Amino acid sequence: MKQRAPLAITNGRLVTPAGVVEGSVRCADGLIVAVGEVSPEEGDRVVDAGGLLIAPGLVDLGVFAVDKPAFHFGGITRAGLMPDCSPLLDHPARVRFMAQSGKPDFWVHPFAAATIGLAGEQLAELALMRDAGAKAVATGRRWIGDSGVMLRLMQYSAMLDLPVVAHAEDAGLSGRAAATAGEMATRLGLPSAPAQAETLALARDIALAEMTGARLHARQVTTRAGLALVRAAKARGVAITAGVTPAHFMLSDLALADFRTFARLSPPLRSEDDRQAVIEAIGDGTIDSIASGHDPRGPEDKRLPFADAEPGMAGAETLLAMVLTLVRDGVIDMARAFDLVARNPARILGVAAGVLEQEAEADLVLVDESKPWLVDRRKMAATAGNTPFDRQPTEGRVTRMWKGGVEVAL
C-alpha cells in the first residue's frame, strides 16, 4: 500500500522486544522511521493512541486459507500460507499468484509444497518456487514417511536457505486417528493414536536437520516428550524452531467429551499433562511461535460423526486474545507475547516486519488488552465459524490497524 503522508501514532504504550514503554511511533514511505520519544512533524497525520498498546501487526505462521476479513479482525497483517490449499502450491505459477493474492492490505507468504502433490515421493521445484515468492518449504498436513526423501528435502532446502516447515506426526502410527490414545479416547470409542507418533516424527526430523544443517520449524509440538526433544536439540545447536496453536495450550482431550467436531484437530488434543507441558514450554522459550492454524471448515466438513469430520479450526480472530490469556496468567509478559505472534514468525520467514524498530515495515496495530468480548461462531468474520472457543468470554481486541502505514478498515 502506498503511504501518502507520514503517520505519527502518539500517547501509546509501545510493545518493544525489551518491554512495554510509553511513547510514540512515526512512519513514512511504508516504514517505521522513529520509535520512542517521538514528536509529530509538520504534515504528519497524527493518531492519538489514548494509552492503548501500539504493537507490530501479527505474523501468522501457517494458515490454510486466505481469509482477509478474519485476519483483519485479528490484527494479522501477514500470514504464511500452507501448501495444501486449493490448488496445491507445488508449482511456481501458483506460488506467484498466491504471493500477490492478498495485496495491498494483506501480505501472503506462500510455503512451497515439499513434494509434488504433497505425496511425499518426488521433490517439487523448490528453487523455482522460492524465486516465485515462497518463503519456506512445507510438508503440509502430512509427514513425509520416506526418510530418504526427507533427507534430500533438507539438503536442498539448506542449499536454498529456506526453512522446512514440518508436520510432526508419524503417519504409520496416526493413520486416521481422531484422538490421542488414552482414557478419553477409550471412553468415547474414538479411533486413536499414541502421543509417541509426534515423538518419533520429531526425532527423525531433528536427526536429519542436524545432519544437513537445514533450518527446521516443527509447526506444532504438543507433547511433553516432543518438547523435551526440541529442548535437547536446541542445546546441541540444531537449527530448530517450534510452534503451537492456542488450542493445545487452552484445551485438553477433555474437550472431546461432547463429540463436538470443532475440537477435531490435527494433531489431536492431548492429555492435561501435555497441555501443561506446552504452557511450560511457552514460558521457558522452547516454543518460538504461536500460530492460529486458521483452517475454516464449513458444515459439509464438520457436521459429521466426530471420527469422519475433517480436522481444523478457524483461529485467526481468536489468536491474539488466547495468547493474552498467558499474559494475564503470568506465564509470559507482553513483550514475549508479541515475540511469539509477530517478531519470531517474521524472523523465521525472513521478512522485515513483526517488530517496532526503525526500517521495519509499518505494519501496526492498536490493542485494547482489557476489552472484553464473547467468541461467537455465528458472528465471526471468517468464512466458517468452526472455533473450539465458541461462547468463551475473553479479553483483548485490536481496535485499529495499519498496513505499510496505511490504515485498514476492520
Side-chain angles (χ1 to χ4, degrees):
M1 299 180 77
K2 181 66 175 177
Q3 185 179 359
R4 296 183 179 180
L7 168 70
I9 307 177
T10 64
N11 188 30
R13 291 177 293 132
L14 304 170
V15 182
T16 73
V20 178
V21 297
E22 294 185 0
S24 306
V25 61
R26 187 172 182 271
C27 313
D29 298 323
L31 300 176
I32 297 173
V33 296
V35 180
E37 295 182 3
V38 178
S39 298
E41 299 182 10
E42 186 176 351
D44 286 1
R45 180 165 181 248
V46 180
V47 173
D48 186 342
L52 297 181
L53 293 174
I54 304 173
L58 277 60
V59 181
D60 199 349
L61 191 59
V63 303
F64 292 88
V66 178
D67 194 359
K68 284 206 287 186
F71 295 142
H72 287 165
F73 182 99
I76 299 167
T77 53
R78 299 165 182 262
L81 178 65
M82 296 294 288
D84 28 9
C85 52
S86 182
L88 290 175
L89 300 183
D90 60 356
H91 189 278
R94 296 171 184 169
V95 169
R96 185 176 296 107
F97 176 80
M98 293 311 300
Q100 301 295 325
S101 62
K103 294 181 178 179
D105 56 350
F106 183 79
W107 279 21
V108 177
H109 298 301
F111 294 172
T115 56
I116 294 175
L118 288 174
E121 298 172 357
Q122 183 178 349
L123 293 187
E125 294 286 356
L126 304 182
L128 294 178
M129 289 191 283
R130 179 199 63 178
D131 295 342
K135 293 294 186 182
V137 178
T139 65
R141 294 185 181 90
R142 308 178 190 178
W143 184 67
I144 295 177
D146 188 321
S147 296
V149 172
M150 194 64 177
L151 172 61
R152 292 192 293 276
L153 173 65
M154 294 269 195
Q155 291 170 328
Y156 201 10
S157 299
M159 182 180 68
L160 297 172
D161 193 27
L162 286 173
V164 177
V165 180
H167 181 79
E169 200 173 20
D170 188 316
L173 286 180
S174 61
R176 288 288 297 172
T180 302
E183 181 179 348
M184 281 304 298
T186 301
R187 285 185 175 185
L188 299 175
L190 292 174
S192 63
Q196 287 80 0
E198 177 175 283
T199 315
L200 290 171
L202 263 176
R204 195 278 312 262
D205 289 350
I206 289 171
L208 294 179
E210 192 167 13
M211 181 191 308
T212 60
R215 289 189 288 143
L216 173 64
H217 178 69
R219 191 173 63 88
Q220 293 194 73
V221 185
T222 60
T223 64
R224 185 175 292 279
L227 291 162
L229 287 176
V230 172
R231 283 191 191 94
K234 287 186 173 186
R236 297 197 306 272
V238 180
I240 182 173
T241 52
V244 76
T245 64
H248 286 92
F249 66 76
M250 294 291 293
L251 303 171
S252 71
D253 57 4
L254 295 175
L256 309 183
D258 61 357
F259 294 99
R260 188 167 177 77
T261 57
F262 287 178
R264 170 80 162 94
L265 305 174
S266 175
L269 292 175
R270 306 300 192 183
S271 68
E272 177 62 17
D273 180 66
D274 285 329
R275 186 183 79 88
Q276 292 297 331
V278 170
I279 293 173
E280 292 166 14
I282 292 170
D284 68 20
T286 303
I287 294 289
D288 299 275
S289 65
I290 299 177
S292 73
H294 188 66
D295 192 5
R297 298 275 191 173
E300 68 280 1
D301 290 332
K302 286 294 188 180
R303 198 167 292 170
L304 296 167
F306 192 93
D308 297 330
E310 292 293 336
M313 67 177 186
E317 291 166 70
T318 56
L319 173 60
L320 180 59
M322 296 302 112
V323 172
L324 290 179
T325 65
L326 297 169
V327 178
R328 289 192 292 274
D329 291 345
V331 178
I332 55 176
D333 62 16
M334 191 65 72
R336 168 75 172 144
F338 278 88
D339 281 352
L340 288 162
V341 297
R343 185 186 179 207
N344 290 347
R347 177 176 52 83
I348 292 167
L349 295 178
V351 296
V355 63
L356 299 186
E357 290 180 352
Q358 290 187 32
E359 301 304 316
E361 295 279 346
D363 298 349
L364 307 169
V365 290
L366 282 187
V367 178
D368 184 344
E369 77 268 36
S370 59
K371 183 178 178 63
W373 60 287
L374 181 71
V375 180
D376 187 341
R377 64 177 179 81
R378 299 166 299 179
K379 299 179 181 179
M380 292 178 70
T383 55
N386 54 307
T387 172
F389 307 118
D390 188 32
R391 310 307 298 172
Q392 179 171 321
T394 189
E395 294 179 14
R397 282 278 293 272
V398 169
T399 61
R400 298 179 76 171
M401 180 169 75
W402 292 263
K403 180 75 186 73
V406 179
E407 187 160 12
V408 177
L410 299 182

